[in-house]
Amino acid sequence: MNKAWLTVMIDAFTRMVIAWAISFSSPSYRSCMAVIRDCVRRHNRVPKYIVTDKGAEFESKYYETLLAFLDSNKKTRPGSKPRFGTLVERVFGITNDAFIHNLVGNNQALQKPRRMSKSHDPRELAVWTLPEFRAAFEGFLDRVYGEAEHPALGMSPKQAMAAAPTLTGEREHTLIPYGPAFVVMCLPTTDKGTARVEPSRGVKIHYIHYWTPEFRDAAFARKNVPVRYDPDDASMAFAYLGNRWVPCKSELAADFQGRSEKEVAMATQEIRAKFKRTGVRRAVTAELIAMYLRETGATEQMLLERKRHQESQDAIPSEVQPVFNLLPPPTTDLVPTNVWDNLTLKLFGDF
């Protein structure tokens, strides 16, 4: 359905892919924070130094704040010097040659479309979905790339990773527990980093109010508290109350559940454009956004059902006739014609 983007973190010492993330969204601070989160989930630690290029996604304040929280240092490699990124670029090359380009429906043929025949069009041969590709790619990294002997090491990356604690020590003081506090730190915050607590409605993040029963405490009334929100689910946010992160539910949570930050922002932009065209001066609220998303969802369901019905009709063999053609023809002579011959004409008045 779309092109997926792969983000990889590789250990320069063992050549092991220690974390990775794949998504349909283009590279951004979300993919960077997702890789950090995956690294802690797998190994309960992050590298002391992380080397990146000068991409805009690596300059995000959310990404740098997370690295500072984990006591990790970010190093930026010089521009226009690709040799500083040979390790990770080589991993992408091996992945393409040994795995991705061997899958049915890969877009290698689209690099030279004039030499491509219609029978080999990848867009007609695509069979892989993102969940199935994720599982297959995980197996490739674990059983193929991780167990193959690396020429620079003289052993496989998995063997080098297993021998590293013996050479350098366990360093248990650097372990990071994968818990709710860490997961919340992988979430973005607002521009100010805080939100004002309204005793009756809670905190407001991107036109949506979030509520938790702990907001009834008078100690938090009309105070600015640190907040975090889930960019992939607009129905959930977190507020820092009493030295801990407290989950908060959004108003109209059923309408915002599963809606991403980008989808809500697009709906808000459409509502503003509609108000501007009609000359209506009205504030954008969560009720308007939820109503717009419901209407859009109903339209999408109708279009999807129409497309499915059309595809179902096209899949019917030509030998199968419609039901209308199988019905017997209607009878035209329902009354005998000679019944009109024996009728007696009666005149009434002047007729």
Side-chain angles (χ1 to χ4, degrees):
M1 298 298 294
N2 203 343
K3 179 172 65 175
W5 298 85
L6 177 65
T7 306
V8 170
M9 178 185 291
I10 181 175
D11 181 21
F13 178 70
T14 63
R15 304 298 199 274
M16 187 69 182
V17 176
I18 56 179
W20 61 280
I22 188 170
S23 173
F24 285 130
S25 302
S26 58
S28 63
Y29 70 93
R30 300 180 187 177
S31 55
C32 298
M33 299 173 76
V35 169
I36 298 294
R37 180 175 176 177
D38 186 63
C39 183
V40 174
R41 181 183 63 86
R42 295 172 183 268
H43 310 284
N44 292 110
R45 65 178 81 231
V46 294
K48 190 66 175 179
Y49 294 91
I50 298 179
V51 182
T52 63
D53 58 13
K54 295 184 178 181
E57 62 272 16
F58 301 114
E59 303 296 331
S60 171
K61 62 180 180 180
Y62 303 125
Y63 175 65
E64 294 182 348
T65 302
L66 178 60
L67 293 183
F69 173 76
L70 299 175
D71 195 19
S72 182
N73 302 289
K74 187 188 74 170
K75 297 292 184 179
T76 304
R77 72 189 194 192
S80 302
K81 295 181 184 284
R83 66 178 181 273
F84 287 92
T86 53
L87 297 180
V88 67
E89 298 296 342
R90 183 56 181 159
V91 169
F92 281 116
I94 294 175
T95 302
N96 288 332
D97 295 338
F99 180 67
I100 296 179
H101 289 170
N102 294 319
L103 299 179
V104 176
N106 70 87
N107 63 352
Q108 189 179 13
L110 291 176
Q111 305 302 322
K112 298 179 180 180
R114 292 183 179 274
R115 300 183 181 180
M116 180 185 64
S117 60
K118 186 176 180 180
S119 61
H120 291 74
D121 190 348
R123 292 165 293 190
E124 303 294 334
L125 302 176
V127 296
W128 287 91
T129 61
L130 192 61
E132 294 173 346
F133 177 83
R134 187 191 303 272
F137 186 68
E138 180 72 27
F140 169 76
L141 292 179
D142 181 55
R143 298 192 296 270
V144 179
Y145 175 80
E147 296 183 355
E149 181 178 348
H150 198 282
L153 302 174
M155 62 180 71
S156 65
K158 292 182 69 173
Q159 293 175 343
M161 180 66 71
T166 305
L167 300 175
T168 61
E170 293 288 344
R171 292 179 294 174
E172 297 180 356
H173 63 283
T174 61
L175 295 178
I176 302 173
Y178 186 81
F182 168 76
V183 173
V184 171
M185 287 304 300
C186 294
L187 302 178
T189 182
T190 59
D191 294 336
K192 296 190 300 182
T194 59
R196 184 182 177 87
V197 178
E198 296 295 337
S200 59
R201 305 196 67 179
V203 295
K204 187 176 182 181
I205 303 175
H206 298 163
Y207 305 99
I208 304 174
H209 284 89
Y210 295 85
W211 171 259
T212 180
E214 299 195 14
F215 285 149
R216 296 192 179 98
D217 192 346
F220 305 120
R222 296 179 176 82
K223 297 290 184 62
N224 292 327
V225 297
V227 292
R228 299 267 177 171
Y229 65 91
D230 190 351
D232 297 324
D233 189 358
S235 65
M236 180 65 67
F238 296 87
Y240 194 72
L241 305 174
N243 298 326
R244 65 187 183 93
W245 290 100
V246 179
C248 307
K249 274 287 186 181
S250 68
E251 54 181 342
L252 304 173
D255 296 315
F256 290 112
Q257 186 175 7
R259 304 285 186 175
S260 64
E261 175 192 9
K262 185 176 181 181
E263 188 174 359
V264 174
M266 293 174 61
T268 305
Q269 184 178 3
E270 291 289 339
I271 294 174
R272 285 180 174 176
K274 181 180 179 181
F275 286 167
K276 186 176 181 180
R277 290 193 303 267
T278 57
V280 177
R281 301 186 63 181
R282 185 178 178 183
V284 179
T285 61
E287 290 79 4
L288 292 176
I289 299 175
M291 185 182 302
Y292 179 84
L293 293 176
R294 284 196 295 266
E295 294 175 355
T296 305
T299 304
E300 291 174 350
Q301 290 295 329
M302 183 168 42
L303 294 175
L304 181 60
E305 181 62 27
R306 187 181 307 168
K307 182 178 179 180
R308 289 176 176 174
H309 177 71
Q310 184 62 37
E311 290 182 357
S312 300
Q313 294 299 316
D314 296 340
I316 297 177
S318 58
E319 295 81 7
V320 179
Q321 299 181 4
V323 178
F324 180 79
N325 295 340
L326 300 178
L327 296 176
T331 304
T332 55
D333 298 334
L334 298 179
V335 181
T337 55
N338 56 359
V339 73
W340 304 100
D341 298 336
N342 300 327
L343 290 178
T344 304
L345 298 179
K346 295 182 179 181
L347 300 179
F348 296 93
D350 296 335
F351 297 97

